[in-house]
Coordinates of all heavy atoms in Angstrom, one line a residue:
M240 N 2.8 -23.1 29.2 CA 4.2 -23.3 29.5 C 4.4 -22.7 31.0 O 4.0 -21.6 31.3 CB 5.1 -22.5 28.6 CG 6.5 -22.5 28.9 SD 7.4 -21.5 27.6 CE 8.8 -22.5 27.4
P241 N 5.0 -23.5 31.9 CA 5.1 -23.1 33.2 C 6.2 -22.0 33.3 O 7.1 -21.9 32.5 CB 5.6 -24.3 34.0 CG 6.1 -25.2 33.0 CD 5.4 -24.9 31.7
A242 N 6.0 -21.1 34.3 CA 7.0 -20.0 34.6 C 8.3 -20.6 35.0 O 8.3 -21.7 35.7 CB 6.4 -19.1 35.6
P243 N 9.4 -20.0 34.7 CA 10.7 -20.5 35.2 C 10.8 -20.4 36.7 O 10.1 -19.5 37.3 CB 11.7 -19.7 34.4 CG 11.0 -18.4 34.1 CD 9.6 -18.8 33.9
P244 N 11.6 -21.2 37.4 CA 11.7 -21.0 38.8 C 12.4 -19.6 39.1 O 13.2 -19.1 38.3 CB 12.7 -22.2 39.2 CG 13.3 -22.6 38.0 CD 12.4 -22.2 36.8
P245 N 11.9 -19.0 40.2 CA 12.5 -17.7 40.5 C 14.0 -17.8 40.8 O 14.5 -18.9 41.3 CB 11.7 -17.3 41.8 CG 11.2 -18.6 42.4 CD 11.0 -19.5 41.2
S246 N 14.7 -16.8 40.5 CA 16.1 -16.8 40.8 C 16.4 -15.5 41.6 O 15.7 -14.5 41.6 CB 17.0 -16.9 39.6 OG 16.7 -15.7 38.7
M247 N 17.6 -15.5 42.3 CA 17.9 -14.3 43.1 C 18.7 -13.4 42.2 O 19.5 -13.8 41.4 CB 18.8 -14.8 44.3 CG 18.0 -15.5 45.3 SD 19.0 -15.7 46.8 CE 20.1 -17.0 46.4
S248 N 18.5 -12.1 42.5 CA 19.4 -11.1 41.9 C 20.8 -11.1 42.5 O 21.0 -11.7 43.5 CB 18.7 -9.7 42.1 OG 18.8 -9.3 43.4
S249 N 21.7 -10.4 41.9 CA 23.0 -10.4 42.5 C 23.0 -9.7 43.9 O 23.7 -10.1 44.8 CB 24.0 -9.7 41.5 OG 23.6 -8.4 41.3
D250 N 22.2 -8.7 44.0 CA 22.0 -8.0 45.3 C 21.5 -9.0 46.4 O 22.0 -9.1 47.5 CB 21.1 -6.9 45.2 CG 21.7 -5.7 44.5 OD1 22.9 -5.6 44.3 OD2 20.9 -4.7 44.2
Q251 N 20.5 -9.8 46.0 CA 19.9 -10.8 46.9 C 21.0 -11.8 47.3 O 21.1 -12.3 48.4 CB 18.7 -11.4 46.3 CG 17.5 -10.5 46.2 CD 16.4 -11.1 45.4 OE1 16.7 -11.8 44.4 NE2 15.2 -10.7 45.7
S252 N 21.7 -12.3 46.3 CA 22.8 -13.3 46.6 C 23.8 -12.7 47.5 O 24.3 -13.4 48.5 CB 23.5 -13.7 45.3 OG 22.6 -14.4 44.5
M253 N 24.2 -11.5 47.3 CA 25.2 -10.9 48.2 C 24.6 -10.7 49.6 O 25.3 -10.9 50.6 CB 25.6 -9.5 47.7 CG 26.5 -9.6 46.5 SD 27.3 -8.1 45.8 CE 26.2 -6.8 46.4
M254 N 23.3 -10.4 49.8 CA 22.7 -10.2 51.1 C 22.7 -11.6 51.8 O 23.0 -11.7 53.0 CB 21.3 -9.7 50.9 CG 21.3 -8.2 50.5 SD 19.7 -7.6 50.0 CE 18.7 -7.7 51.5
L255 N 22.3 -12.6 51.1 CA 22.3 -14.0 51.7 C 23.7 -14.4 52.1 O 23.9 -14.9 53.2 CB 21.7 -15.0 50.7 CG 21.6 -16.4 51.1 CD1 20.8 -16.5 52.4 CD2 21.1 -17.3 50.0
Y256 N 24.7 -14.2 51.2 CA 26.1 -14.5 51.5 C 26.5 -13.8 52.8 O 27.2 -14.4 53.6 CB 27.0 -14.2 50.3 CG 28.4 -14.5 50.6 CD1 28.9 -15.8 50.5 CD2 29.3 -13.5 50.9 CE1 30.2 -16.1 50.8 CE2 30.7 -13.8 51.1 CZ 31.1 -15.1 51.1 OH 32.4 -15.4 51.3
S257 N 26.2 -12.5 52.9 CA 26.7 -11.8 54.1 C 26.1 -12.3 55.4 O 26.7 -12.2 56.4 CB 26.3 -10.3 53.9 OG 25.0 -10.0 54.1
L258 N 24.9 -12.9 55.3 CA 24.3 -13.5 56.5 C 24.9 -14.8 57.0 O 24.9 -15.2 58.1 CB 22.8 -13.7 56.3 CG 21.9 -12.5 56.2 CD1 20.5 -12.9 55.8 CD2 21.9 -11.6 57.5
Q259 N 25.5 -15.5 56.0 CA 25.9 -16.9 56.3 C 27.0 -17.0 57.4 O 27.1 -18.0 58.0 CB 26.3 -17.6 55.0 CG 25.1 -17.9 54.1 CD 25.5 -18.4 52.8 OE1 26.6 -18.3 52.3 NE2 24.6 -19.1 52.1
S260 N 27.8 -15.9 57.5 CA 28.9 -16.0 58.5 C 28.5 -15.4 59.8 O 29.3 -15.4 60.7 CB 30.1 -15.3 57.9 OG 29.8 -13.9 57.7
L261 N 27.3 -14.9 60.0 CA 26.9 -14.2 61.2 C 26.2 -15.1 62.1 O 25.5 -16.1 61.7 CB 26.1 -13.0 60.9 CG 26.7 -11.9 60.0 CD1 25.7 -10.8 59.6 CD2 27.9 -11.3 60.7
R262 N 26.2 -14.8 63.4 CA 25.5 -15.6 64.4 C 24.9 -14.7 65.4 O 25.4 -13.6 65.6 CB 26.5 -16.6 65.1 CG 27.2 -17.6 64.2 CD 26.2 -18.7 63.8 NE 26.8 -19.7 62.9 CZ 26.8 -19.7 61.6 NH1 26.2 -18.7 61.0 NH2 27.4 -20.6 60.9
G263 N 23.9 -15.1 66.2 CA 23.4 -14.4 67.3 C 22.9 -13.0 66.9 O 22.2 -12.8 65.9
D264 N 23.2 -12.1 67.8 CA 22.7 -10.7 67.6 C 23.1 -10.1 66.3 O 22.4 -9.3 65.7 CB 23.1 -9.8 68.8 CG 22.3 -10.0 70.0 OD1 21.3 -10.7 70.0 OD2 22.7 -9.5 71.1
A265 N 24.4 -10.4 65.9 CA 24.9 -9.8 64.6 C 24.0 -10.3 63.5 O 23.7 -9.5 62.6 CB 26.4 -10.2 64.4
F266 N 23.7 -11.6 63.5 CA 22.8 -12.1 62.4 C 21.4 -11.4 62.5 O 20.9 -10.9 61.4 CB 22.6 -13.6 62.6 CG 21.6 -14.2 61.6 CD1 22.0 -14.6 60.3 CD2 20.2 -14.2 61.9 CE1 21.1 -15.1 59.4 CE2 19.3 -14.7 61.0 CZ 19.8 -15.2 59.7
D267 N 20.8 -11.3 63.7 CA 19.5 -10.7 63.8 C 19.5 -9.3 63.3 O 18.6 -8.9 62.6 CB 19.1 -10.8 65.3 CG 18.8 -12.2 65.8 OD1 18.7 -13.1 65.0 OD2 18.8 -12.3 67.0
R268 N 20.5 -8.5 63.7 CA 20.5 -7.1 63.3 C 20.7 -7.0 61.7 O 20.0 -6.2 61.1 CB 21.7 -6.4 64.0 CG 21.4 -6.2 65.5 CD 22.7 -5.6 66.1 NE 22.6 -5.7 67.6 CZ 22.0 -4.9 68.4 NH1 21.4 -3.8 67.9 NH2 22.0 -5.1 69.7
A269 N 21.6 -7.8 61.2 CA 21.8 -7.7 59.7 C 20.5 -8.2 59.0 O 20.1 -7.6 58.0 CB 23.0 -8.6 59.3
Y270 N 19.9 -9.2 59.5 CA 18.7 -9.8 58.9 C 17.6 -8.7 58.9 O 16.9 -8.5 57.8 CB 18.2 -11.0 59.6 CG 17.0 -11.6 59.0 CD1 17.0 -12.4 57.8 CD2 15.7 -11.4 59.6 CE1 15.9 -12.9 57.3 CE2 14.6 -12.0 59.0 CZ 14.7 -12.7 57.9 OH 13.5 -13.2 57.3
V271 N 17.4 -8.0 60.0 CA 16.3 -7.0 60.1 C 16.6 -5.9 59.1 O 15.7 -5.4 58.4 CB 16.1 -6.6 61.5 CG1 15.2 -5.3 61.6 CG2 15.5 -7.7 62.4
K272 N 17.8 -5.5 59.0 CA 18.2 -4.4 58.1 C 17.9 -4.8 56.7 O 17.4 -4.0 55.9 CB 19.7 -4.0 58.2 CG 20.0 -3.2 59.5 CD 21.4 -2.8 59.5 CE 21.8 -2.1 60.8 NZ 23.2 -1.8 60.9
Q273 N 18.2 -6.0 56.3 CA 17.9 -6.6 55.0 C 16.4 -6.6 54.7 O 15.9 -6.4 53.6 CB 18.6 -7.9 54.8 CG 20.1 -7.8 54.7 CD 20.7 -9.2 54.4 OE1 20.0 -10.2 54.2 NE2 22.0 -9.2 54.4
Q274 N 15.7 -7.0 55.7 CA 14.2 -7.1 55.6 C 13.6 -5.7 55.4 O 12.7 -5.6 54.6 CB 13.6 -7.8 56.8 CG 13.8 -9.3 56.9 CD 13.2 -9.9 55.6 OE1 12.0 -9.8 55.3 NE2 14.1 -10.6 54.9
I275 N 14.1 -4.7 56.0 CA 13.7 -3.3 55.8 C 13.9 -2.9 54.4 O 13.0 -2.4 53.7 CB 14.3 -2.3 56.8 CG1 13.8 -2.6 58.2 CG2 14.1 -0.9 56.4 CD1 14.5 -1.8 59.3
L276 N 15.1 -3.2 53.9 CA 15.5 -2.8 52.5 C 14.6 -3.6 51.5 O 14.0 -3.0 50.6 CB 16.9 -3.1 52.2 CG 17.4 -2.9 50.8 CD1 17.3 -1.4 50.4 CD2 18.9 -3.3 50.7
A277 N 14.4 -4.9 51.7 CA 13.6 -5.7 50.8 C 12.1 -5.2 50.8 O 11.5 -5.2 49.7 CB 13.7 -7.2 51.2
H278 N 11.6 -4.9 52.0 CA 10.2 -4.4 52.0 C 10.1 -3.0 51.4 O 9.0 -2.7 50.8 CB 9.7 -4.5 53.4 CG 9.3 -5.9 53.8 ND1 10.2 -6.8 54.3 CD2 8.1 -6.5 53.8 CE1 9.6 -8.0 54.5 NE2 8.3 -7.8 54.2
Q279 N 11.1 -2.2 51.6 CA 11.0 -0.9 50.9 C 11.0 -1.0 49.4 O 10.3 -0.3 48.7 CB 12.2 0.0 51.4 CG 12.1 0.5 52.8 CD 13.4 1.1 53.3 OE1 14.5 0.8 52.8 NE2 13.3 2.0 54.3
Q280 N 11.8 -1.9 48.9 CA 11.9 -2.2 47.5 C 10.5 -2.8 47.0 O 10.0 -2.4 46.0 CB 13.0 -3.1 47.1 CG 14.4 -2.5 47.3 CD 15.5 -3.5 47.2 OE1 15.3 -4.7 47.3 NE2 16.7 -3.0 47.0
A281 N 10.0 -3.7 47.7 CA 8.7 -4.3 47.4 C 7.6 -3.3 47.4 O 6.7 -3.3 46.5 CB 8.4 -5.5 48.3
L282 N 7.6 -2.4 48.4 CA 6.6 -1.4 48.4 C 6.7 -0.5 47.2 O 5.7 -0.1 46.6 CB 6.8 -0.6 49.7 CG 5.7 0.4 50.0 CD1 4.3 -0.2 50.1 CD2 6.1 1.2 51.3
A283 N 7.9 -0.1 46.9 CA 8.0 0.9 45.7 C 7.6 0.2 44.4 O 6.8 0.8 43.6 CB 9.5 1.3 45.6
V284 N 7.9 -1.0 44.2 CA 7.5 -1.7 43.0 C 6.0 -1.9 42.9 O 5.4 -1.7 41.9 CB 8.3 -3.1 42.8 CG1 7.7 -4.0 41.8 CG2 9.7 -2.9 42.6
T285 N 5.5 -2.3 44.1 CA 4.0 -2.6 44.1 C 3.2 -1.3 44.0 O 2.2 -1.3 43.3 CB 3.7 -3.3 45.5 OG1 4.5 -4.5 45.6 CG2 2.2 -3.8 45.5
Q286 N 3.7 -0.2 44.6 CA 3.0 1.0 44.5 C 3.0 1.5 43.0 O 2.0 1.9 42.5 CB 3.7 2.1 45.3 CG 3.3 2.0 46.8 CD 4.1 3.0 47.6 OE1 5.3 3.3 47.3 NE2 3.5 3.5 48.6
S287 N 4.1 1.3 42.4 CA 4.2 1.7 41.0 C 3.3 0.9 40.1 O 2.6 1.4 39.3 CB 5.7 1.5 40.5 OG 5.8 1.8 39.1
Y288 N 3.2 -0.4 40.3 CA 2.3 -1.2 39.5 C 0.9 -0.9 39.8 O 0.0 -0.9 38.9 CB 2.6 -2.7 39.7 CG 2.1 -3.5 38.5 CD1 2.9 -3.9 37.5 CD2 0.7 -3.9 38.5 CE1 2.4 -4.6 36.4 CE2 0.2 -4.5 37.4 CZ 1.0 -4.9 36.3 OH 0.5 -5.5 35.2
A289 N 0.6 -0.7 41.1 CA -0.8 -0.4 41.5 C -1.3 0.8 40.8 O -2.5 1.0 40.5 CB -0.9 -0.3 43.0
S290 N -0.4 1.8 40.6 CA -0.9 3.1 40.0 C -0.8 3.1 38.5 O -1.6 3.8 37.8 CB -0.1 4.2 40.6 OG 1.3 4.1 40.2
S291 N 0.1 2.3 37.9 CA 0.2 2.4 36.4 C 0.6 1.1 35.7 O 1.0 1.2 34.6 CB 1.3 3.5 36.1 OG 2.5 3.1 36.6
G292 N 0.3 0.0 36.3 CA 0.6 -1.3 35.7 C -0.4 -1.5 34.5 O -1.5 -1.0 34.5
P293 N 0.1 -2.2 33.5 CA -0.8 -2.4 32.3 C -2.0 -3.3 32.5 O -2.9 -3.2 31.7 CB 0.2 -3.0 31.3 CG 1.3 -3.6 32.1 CD 1.4 -2.8 33.3
D294 N -1.9 -4.2 33.5 CA -3.0 -5.2 33.6 C -3.9 -4.7 34.8 O -3.5 -4.6 35.9 CB -2.5 -6.6 33.9 CG -3.5 -7.6 34.0 OD1 -4.3 -7.6 35.0 OD2 -3.6 -8.5 33.1
K295 N -5.2 -4.5 34.4 CA -6.2 -4.0 35.4 C -6.3 -4.9 36.6 O -6.3 -4.5 37.8 CB -7.5 -3.8 34.8 CG -8.6 -3.4 35.7 CD -10.0 -3.3 35.0 CE -11.1 -3.0 35.9 NZ -12.4 -3.0 35.3
N296 N -6.4 -6.2 36.4 CA -6.5 -7.2 37.5 C -5.3 -7.2 38.4 O -5.4 -7.3 39.6 CB -6.8 -8.6 37.0 CG -8.2 -8.7 36.3 OD1 -9.1 -8.0 36.7 ND2 -8.3 -9.5 35.3
L297 N -4.1 -7.2 37.8 CA -2.9 -7.1 38.6 C -2.7 -5.8 39.3 O -2.2 -5.8 40.4 CB -1.7 -7.4 37.7 CG -1.6 -8.8 37.1 CD1 -0.4 -9.0 36.2 CD2 -1.6 -9.9 38.2
R298 N -3.2 -4.7 38.7 CA -3.2 -3.4 39.5 C -4.0 -3.6 40.7 O -3.6 -3.1 41.8 CB -3.7 -2.3 38.6 CG -2.7 -1.7 37.6 CD -3.2 -0.4 37.0 NE -4.6 -0.3 36.6 CZ -5.0 -0.6 35.4 NH1 -4.2 -1.0 34.4 NH2 -6.3 -0.5 35.1
G299 N -5.2 -4.2 40.6 CA -6.0 -4.4 41.8 C -5.3 -5.3 42.8 O -5.4 -5.0 44.0
A300 N -4.7 -6.3 42.4 CA -4.0 -7.2 43.3 C -2.9 -6.5 44.0 O -2.6 -6.6 45.2 CB -3.5 -8.5 42.6
A301 N -2.2 -5.7 43.3 CA -1.1 -4.9 43.8 C -1.6 -3.9 44.9 O -1.0 -3.8 45.9 CB -0.3 -4.2 42.7
A302 N -2.7 -3.3 44.6 CA -3.3 -2.3 45.5 C -3.7 -3.0 46.8 O -3.5 -2.5 47.9 CB -4.5 -1.6 44.9
E303 N -4.2 -4.2 46.7 CA -4.6 -5.0 47.9 C -3.4 -5.4 48.7 O -3.5 -5.6 49.9 CB -5.5 -6.2 47.5 CG -6.8 -5.9 46.9 CD -7.6 -7.1 46.5 OE1 -7.3 -8.2 46.9 OE2 -8.6 -6.9 45.8
A304 N -2.3 -5.6 48.0 CA -1.1 -6.1 48.7 C -0.4 -4.9 49.5 O 0.4 -5.2 50.4 CB -0.1 -6.7 47.7
L305 N -0.6 -3.7 49.1 CA 0.1 -2.6 49.7 C 0.0 -2.5 51.2 O 1.0 -2.3 51.9 CB -0.4 -1.3 49.0 CG 0.2 -1.0 47.6 CD1 -0.5 0.2 47.0 CD2 1.7 -0.9 47.6
P306 N -1.2 -2.6 51.8 CA -1.3 -2.6 53.2 C -0.5 -3.7 53.9 O 0.1 -3.5 55.0 CB -2.8 -2.7 53.6 CG -3.5 -2.4 52.3 CD -2.5 -2.7 51.2
I307 N -0.5 -4.8 53.3 CA 0.3 -5.9 53.9 C 1.8 -5.6 53.9 O 2.5 -5.8 54.9 CB 0.0 -7.3 53.1 CG1 -1.5 -7.6 53.3 CG2 0.9 -8.4 53.6 CD1 -2.0 -8.7 52.3
I308 N 2.3 -5.2 52.8 CA 3.7 -4.8 52.7 C 4.0 -3.7 53.6 O 5.1 -3.8 54.3 CB 4.1 -4.4 51.2 CG1 3.8 -5.6 50.3 CG2 5.5 -4.0 51.1 CD1 3.9 -5.3 48.8
R309 N 3.2 -2.7 53.7 CA 3.4 -1.6 54.7 C 3.5 -2.1 56.1 O 4.3 -1.7 56.9 CB 2.4 -0.5 54.5 CG 2.5 0.3 53.3 CD 1.5 1.5 53.4 NE 1.6 2.2 52.1 CZ 0.7 2.2 51.2 NH1 -0.4 1.5 51.4 NH2 0.8 2.9 50.1
R310 N 2.6 -3.0 56.5 CA 2.5 -3.6 57.8 C 3.8 -4.4 58.1 O 4.4 -4.3 59.2 CB 1.3 -4.5 58.0 CG 1.0 -4.9 59.4 CD -0.3 -5.5 59.6 NE -0.7 -6.6 58.7 CZ -1.7 -6.4 57.8 NH1 -2.3 -5.3 57.6 NH2 -2.0 -7.4 56.9
H311 N 4.2 -5.1 57.1 CA 5.5 -5.9 57.3 C 6.7 -5.0 57.5 O 7.6 -5.2 58.3 CB 5.7 -6.9 56.2 CG 4.7 -8.0 56.2 ND1 4.8 -9.0 55.3 CD2 3.7 -8.3 57.0 CE1 3.8 -9.9 55.5 NE2 3.2 -9.5 56.6
L312 N 6.7 -3.9 56.7 CA 7.8 -2.9 56.8 C 7.8 -2.3 58.1 O 8.8 -2.1 58.8 CB 7.7 -1.9 55.7 CG 8.7 -0.7 55.7 CD1 10.1 -1.2 55.7 CD2 8.4 0.2 54.5
D313 N 6.6 -1.9 58.6 CA 6.5 -1.3 59.9 C 7.0 -2.3 61.0 O 7.7 -1.8 62.0 CB 5.0 -0.9 60.3 CG 4.5 0.2 59.5 OD1 5.3 1.0 58.9 OD2 3.3 0.4 59.4
M314 N 6.7 -3.5 60.9 CA 7.2 -4.5 61.9 C 8.7 -4.6 61.9 O 9.3 -4.7 62.9 CB 6.5 -5.9 61.6 CG 5.0 -5.9 62.0 SD 4.3 -7.6 61.9 CE 4.3 -8.0 60.2
A315 N 9.3 -4.7 60.7 CA 10.7 -4.7 60.5 C 11.4 -3.5 61.1 O 12.4 -3.6 61.8 CB 11.1 -4.9 59.1
E316 N 10.8 -2.3 60.9 CA 11.3 -1.1 61.4 C 11.2 -1.1 62.9 O 12.1 -0.6 63.6 CB 10.6 0.1 60.8 CG 11.0 0.3 59.3 CD 10.2 1.4 58.6 OE1 9.1 1.7 59.1 OE2 10.8 1.9 57.6
K317 N 10.1 -1.6 63.5 CA 10.0 -1.7 65.0 C 11.1 -2.6 65.5 O 11.7 -2.3 66.6 CB 8.6 -2.2 65.3 CG 8.4 -2.2 66.9 CD 7.1 -2.7 67.3 CE 6.8 -2.7 68.7 NZ 7.9 -3.1 69.6
M318 N 11.3 -3.7 64.9 CA 12.3 -4.6 65.4 C 13.7 -3.9 65.4 O 14.5 -4.1 66.3 CB 12.4 -5.9 64.5 CG 11.3 -6.9 64.9 SD 11.5 -8.5 64.1 CE 11.4 -8.2 62.4
H319 N 14.0 -3.2 64.3 CA 15.2 -2.5 64.2 C 15.3 -1.5 65.3 O 16.4 -1.3 65.9 CB 15.3 -1.8 62.8 CG 16.6 -1.1 62.6 ND1 16.8 0.2 62.8 CD2 17.8 -1.6 62.2 CE1 18.0 0.5 62.5 NE2 18.7 -0.5 62.2
A320 N 14.3 -0.7 65.6 CA 14.3 0.2 66.7 C 14.5 -0.5 68.0 O 15.2 0.1 68.9 CB 13.0 1.0 66.7
D321 N 13.9 -1.6 68.2 CA 14.0 -2.4 69.5 C 15.5 -2.8 69.6 O 16.0 -2.8 70.8 CB 13.1 -3.6 69.5 CG 11.7 -3.3 69.6 OD1 11.3 -2.1 70.0 OD2 10.8 -4.2 69.4
F322 N 16.2 -3.2 68.6 CA 17.6 -3.6 68.6 C 18.4 -2.3 69.0 O 19.3 -2.4 69.8 CB 18.1 -4.1 67.3 CG 17.8 -5.5 67.1 CD1 17.2 -5.9 65.9 CD2 18.0 -6.5 68.0 CE1 16.9 -7.3 65.6 CE2 17.7 -7.8 67.8 CZ 17.1 -8.2 66.6
A323 N 18.1 -1.2 68.5 CA 18.8 0.0 68.7 C 18.7 0.5 70.2 O 19.6 1.0 70.8 CB 18.4 1.2 67.8
G324 N 17.5 0.1 70.8 CA 17.3 0.5 72.1 C 17.9 -0.4 73.2 O 17.9 -0.1 74.3
S325 N 18.3 -1.6 72.7 CA 18.9 -2.6 73.6 C 20.4 -2.5 73.7 O 21.1 -1.9 73.0 CB 18.4 -4.0 73.3 OG 18.8 -4.3 72.0

């Protein structure tokens, strides 16, 4: 049986809705803030699964994903700092 299509949480829907009315720098700044939040959440969930998830293979995959998520979070935080400096 195929997995159901992914759906957005109410928080994700609200974040998307809040971006729809923004343009230019206001959009960029809000988007980067949302990306930081999303990557922080992804990092927390992935760290948790990597350390104590029930499936050994998925724990390994989660552990391998951690450096990528951290790198993306670092990039988003750098973009945010660049906006603050401009």
Side-chain angles (χ1 to χ4, degrees):
M240 176 180 221
S246 61
M247 288 190 286
S248 69
S249 61
D250 287 346
Q251 291 168 327
S252 294
M253 288 186 335
M254 289 168 63
L255 180 60
Y256 179 76
S257 72
L258 291 174
Q259 291 175 337
S260 63
L261 301 175
R262 300 287 181 263
D264 284 348
F266 175 89
D267 293 344
R268 290 174 195 275
Y270 180 79
V271 168
K272 285 180 183 179
Q273 289 183 7
Q274 286 301 301
I275 290 171
L276 177 61
H278 282 83
Q279 288 170 336
Q280 291 170 342
L282 185 60
V284 168
T285 306
Q286 283 174 324
S287 176
Y288 201 96
S290 66
S291 60
D294 184 288
K295 177 184 174 184
N296 292 327
L297 292 179
R298 279 194 316 268
E303 289 178 18
L305 286 172
I307 298 166
I308 297 168
R309 284 188 187 108
R310 190 168 49 251
H311 289 182
L312 176 57
D313 289 344
M314 289 188 292
E316 289 172 339
K317 183 183 181 317
M318 285 190 294
H319 185 262
D321 290 346
F322 280 130
S325 59

